Amino acid sequence: MKKIFLFAFSALLLASCSEGDYGYYESTEPYYPYEHSQPPAKTLTGFLIFDYAFDAFTAVPELLTYAIKLDECLSAQPADSAALFRRYFYDWDITSSAGTWKISNREQILIIDTGGKPLSEPSASWNVYCNLDGLYITYDSCKITYSDDGGLRIRISQGRFADMFRGSADFTVEKRKNELNTLRPYLFDLRGKGSLQAILNTDFHIEYSTDGFLRQTEIFWDGTMDISCTSSNPTPDDVRAFLSANNRVTITYKGITDEWTYTPHGRYM
C-alpha cells in the first residue's frame, strides 16, 4: 500500500501544494487528520516525508534488539544462558557453528558471525545479515562493533529498508536495560544518520539524522529527527520532527508547525 502512496507523494512534492489547492488529498487519505470538508494541514508533505524516513529507521533499533539479546545469552553463565535463550527466542529455531549463529522463524532469518567475541570486548566486530520484516541485508553489509566510549556502533553500508528503499545507516548506540519489559528489555539512544533511495522511483532520496534520543518501547519514542528529501525537483524539502509520548510527532515544515500522530507499521518483534 505504501508503495502506491510513494508515487502519489512524489507527485505531491513536485506540485508544491500552494494554499487553497487541495486536490491531492484523496491520494493520501490514510494520513488525513481532518474531515474531508476541511483542507489538509499545511505540514502534510512534511509529515509524509517523516513517515517514510522513520518507518525505514525503525528497522535499525529492532535489529539491534536481536543482536543484543543474543549477546546477553552468550555472555551469561551456562546456568543462566539456556533460560535467556528460552525467554528471548522461545519460538525461533537456533543453530550455531564456529561462532556463527542462525536464528530463524518461518520466512525471517538472522545470521550473525560473532567472531567468537561478545560485544563487550573492544575488538568485537559482528557481521550481521538478515531477511527480517522490512529489512534485507546481505553478507558483509552490516557490522555491529564496540565503540571507544563503551557503547556500540552499527554501520549498514547497503540494505533494503521498509521494502521500499535502498540505503545505508551509521549510528552510535547507548543501550539501557528496561527492567519492566522482558520481551523488549532494552532502550536505545541513537545518534547518527541514514540515507534512503526509493527502489521504484530512483529520483526520490531521503537523508536523515538524529543528534538526540530515539528510544525503543512499544508506544514511546523521544527525540528529534532532521530530514531532507529530494525528488525530480533538486530543491530539497527540509523537515524537523520531534517525537514525544503516545507517538505524538511535532512537524516543522516551511516555517509551520503542526502536531501529528505516528502510526507504527506493524514491524514489532
Side-chain angles (χ1 to χ4, degrees), residues 5 16 34 37 63 70 90 97 120 135 151 165 170 192 238 255 259:
F5 294 135
S16 73
Y34 306 115
S37 60
L63 178 60
L70 177 61
Y90 66 93
S97 176
S120 56
L135 180 64
F165 296 97
D170 189 346
D238 295 326
E259 189 175 77

Side-chain angles (χ1 to χ4, degrees), residues 173 228-229:
V173 184
S228 182
C229 175

Side-chain angles (χ1 to χ4, degrees), residues 42-110:
K42 294 180 180 179
T43 58
L44 173 60
T45 299
F47 176 75
L48 288 172
I49 292 171
F50 159 78
D51 189 61
Y52 279 111
F54 195 68
D55 193 33
F57 164 83
T58 56
V60 177
E62 289 184 5
L63 178 60
L64 281 167
T65 297
Y66 281 112
I68 293 173
K69 282 180 177 179
L70 177 61
D71 185 57
E72 186 174 342
C73 293
L74 299 180
S75 300
Q77 295 297 320
D80 299 323
S81 180
L84 288 173
F85 270 112
R86 286 194 297 270
R87 178 193 299 175
Y88 293 155
F89 302 105
Y90 66 93
D91 56 349
W92 293 73
D93 296 322
I94 301 175
T95 59
S96 66
S97 176
T100 298
W101 291 78
K102 179 180 178 181
I103 305 170
S104 61
N105 184 347
R106 301 179 184 88
E107 295 84 8
Q108 298 191 83
I109 299 175
L110 171 67

Side-chain angles (χ1 to χ4, degrees), residues 223-245:
T224 59
M225 179 175 279
D226 291 303
I227 311 161
S228 182
C229 175
T230 58
S231 188
S232 299
N233 183 349
T235 302
D237 274 274
D238 295 326
V239 179
R240 165 158 281 208
F242 174 76
L243 295 90
S244 57

Side-chain angles (χ1 to χ4, degrees), residues 155-207:
R155 286 170 288 184
I156 301 173
S157 58
Q158 186 61 244
R160 189 175 72 222
F161 295 82
D163 292 325
M164 298 180 64
F165 296 97
R166 296 185 181 93
S168 61
D170 189 346
F171 289 93
T172 57
V173 184
E174 178 187 348
K175 68 179 187 294
R176 306 177 186 181
K177 286 287 288 185
N178 180 7
E179 302 292 351
L180 299 178
N181 192 326
T182 58
L183 179 62
R184 304 166 71 82
Y186 305 103
L187 304 174
F188 298 116
D189 292 348
L190 291 100
R191 293 171 171 81
K193 60 185 179 180
S195 178
L196 303 167
Q197 179 185 35
I199 294 173
L200 297 179
N201 178 4
T202 56
D203 290 330
F204 189 77
H205 294 262
I206 292 176
E207 304 283 339

